[in-house]
Amino acid sequence: MNLSTSSFSVFLIKLILVICIVSIILNKFFENQIILKTEISGAYKIHKIAHKNLNVEIPIFGSSRAKTNFCSSLINNNTFNYGIDGIGSKVWLFFLEKELEKHKSTPIIINFDLNGFTNYIGDRSNYLTDYSISKLFINDDLIYRIPVIRYFGFYQSYLTDFIKYKLSYNYFIDKGGVHLNSEFNLKNFNFNINQRTQENDYFQKDTLQIRKFYSLIKLTTRPIYLVISPYHESALNNFANLNEADIFLENIGKLDNLIVLDFRDIDLKKEMFYNTTHLNHKGAKQFSQLLSDTLKSIDPENFN
């Protein structure tokens, strides 16, 4: 090996080391200053449920319907909304499992969607900050262990959530919740009704998930409130097998520490909805106040 080749090899090694160090620093900066500073993002919420233990916190779990329909500050000062867009029961069961690993006595609120038990996981960006979690929901791929590179294709998603959280234009942000604060649009709402009626919705059953849900409930004495938040009547009419959902809810409601609170068809004007399954800010406030009053009446120790 001549001198020039040896010098180039040393230079290359140093360059690789510098790139690795810079990548790790940039990765940590982006995670700590963007992702983990955006409490409305799915990535933040998954990291929080897995790594933080807040003894007085009352969590709200569920899909985008949890995220939009529950105003945390109206329900209780200690509530935090862990709702994530596009997820199903597979993910909120993970949240419930992580929560029950903590030595706490506070209640747990779960928004229960009438489509039942599904494997929807939402966007991949939710799971990339922690490899031990990402491999549970997305491919066990080496790329998800590599700093900076694992976020390629998702930087825009994280930054969009960060800007929404910081500026909250047209949205009201409330401890993990995101509530649309714009004027009701009748044309868009009617279009949404027409779109949803193209195909029926169904209550779906997954035996393994249902068994897991029962076993988790039986592992704890903490109060669990299974809440069906409001649907527009057109969405309810579109379900083909709601009787199966009702049977499930009746049976699980027999467990000692689980209470089903069914608000699916409370009388809300269409102006209270963003679409047929999600409330806008006005609707979320009205529903959350009703939920708060209900919880105070049946559990004054935790909700007064």
Side-chain angles (χ1 to χ4, degrees):
M1 180 181 294
N2 58 39
L3 184 60
S4 62
T5 302
S6 176
S7 298
F8 178 75
S9 297
V10 171
F11 169 77
L12 190 60
I13 291 170
K14 288 181 178 179
L15 180 62
I16 292 171
L17 283 173
V18 169
I19 291 173
C20 288
I21 293 169
V22 170
S23 295
I24 291 171
I25 292 171
L26 288 175
N27 185 81
K28 280 297 179 184
F29 176 83
F30 191 79
E31 284 182 354
N32 293 332
Q33 299 303 317
I34 301 296
I35 299 175
L36 300 183
K37 295 288 186 181
T38 310
E39 68 174 30
I40 63 171
S41 76
Y44 172 94
K45 293 173 180 181
I46 287 174
H47 184 273
K48 181 178 180 181
I49 198 67
H51 298 288
K52 292 188 178 181
N53 184 3
L54 304 175
N55 287 331
V56 299
E57 183 179 86
I58 299 173
I60 301 170
F61 300 142
S63 65
S64 59
R65 284 177 23 84
K67 185 178 179 180
T68 61
N69 293 359
F70 293 72
C71 294
S72 300
S73 59
L74 286 178
I75 297 168
N76 185 276
N77 288 332
N78 295 319
T79 55
F80 183 82
N81 192 326
Y82 285 92
I84 298 178
D85 295 338
I87 69 159
S89 52
K90 179 177 181 177
V91 180
W92 63 250
L93 281 169
F94 163 80
F95 274 83
L96 179 60
E97 185 173 20
K98 287 296 181 183
E99 177 68 12
L100 293 179
E101 291 174 358
K102 303 168 186 178
H103 299 292
K104 295 172 60 177
S105 60
T106 54
I108 297 168
I109 299 171
I110 301 171
N111 175 75
F112 188 76
D113 293 332
L114 291 175
N115 62 348
F117 291 85
T118 67
N119 290 311
Y120 305 138
I121 65 168
D123 197 273
R124 286 190 173 200
S125 62
N126 297 329
Y127 309 99
L128 299 180
T129 59
D130 190 323
Y131 178 71
S132 65
I133 293 173
S134 67
K135 66 183 181 180
L136 296 175
F137 296 101
I138 55 182
N139 294 333
D140 186 2
D141 198 321
L142 178 63
I143 194 172
Y144 297 126
R145 293 182 180 226
I146 303 174
V148 177
I149 293 177
R150 67 170 174 248
Y151 295 128
F152 279 180
F154 300 103
Y155 283 104
Q156 183 177 352
S157 174
Y158 294 125
L159 289 170
T160 299
D161 276 344
F162 180 76
I163 293 169
K164 181 190 290 187
Y165 175 60
K166 290 298 183 181
L167 300 180
S168 59
Y169 178 71
N170 271 350
Y171 294 92
F172 183 80
I173 307 299
D174 183 6
K175 292 191 289 184
V178 180
H179 313 288
L180 185 66
N181 201 26
S182 60
E183 290 295 319
F184 175 76
N185 188 310
L186 180 60
K187 182 179 179 180
N188 288 345
F189 187 74
N190 287 333
F191 177 78
N192 181 251
I193 291 177
N194 291 331
Q195 288 292 103
R196 292 197 70 89
T197 54
Q198 299 299 314
E199 294 183 6
N200 283 331
D201 291 314
Y202 294 89
F203 174 76
Q204 300 179 54
K205 292 181 283 189
D206 182 303
T207 302
L208 291 178
Q209 288 191 34
I210 292 173
R211 285 177 182 170
K212 183 175 183 179
F213 190 28
Y214 269 89
S215 66
L216 287 173
I217 296 167
K218 292 176 180 178
L219 282 175
T220 184
T221 57
R222 292 172 66 177
I224 297 175
Y225 296 97
L226 199 64
V227 180
I228 299 93
S229 59
Y231 287 83
H232 187 260
E233 61 180 352
S234 61
L236 292 175
N237 293 337
N238 202 48
F239 276 92
N241 63 340
L242 271 186
N243 61 308
E244 293 186 32
D246 293 333
I247 292 170
F248 167 79
L249 292 168
E250 182 180 358
N251 288 333
I252 204 164
K254 295 175 183 177
L255 296 176
D256 290 339
N257 59 323
L258 185 139
I259 296 176
V260 176
L261 299 176
D262 192 347
F263 298 95
R264 76 180 81 174
D265 56 359
I266 62 172
D267 186 20
L268 289 177
K269 296 178 180 178
K270 60 179 178 291
E271 288 81 9
M272 298 290 184
F273 287 86
Y274 165 63
N275 58 33
T276 59
T277 56
H278 296 77
L279 301 173
N280 58 26
H281 188 214
K282 289 181 181 178
K285 286 195 296 183
Q286 187 165 325
F287 160 64
S288 296
Q289 187 60 62
L290 177 59
L291 175 60
S292 176
D293 293 341
T294 303
L295 291 169
K296 286 176 182 177
S297 68
I298 61 181
D299 190 356
E301 181 179 351
N302 287 303
F303 289 97
N304 268 340

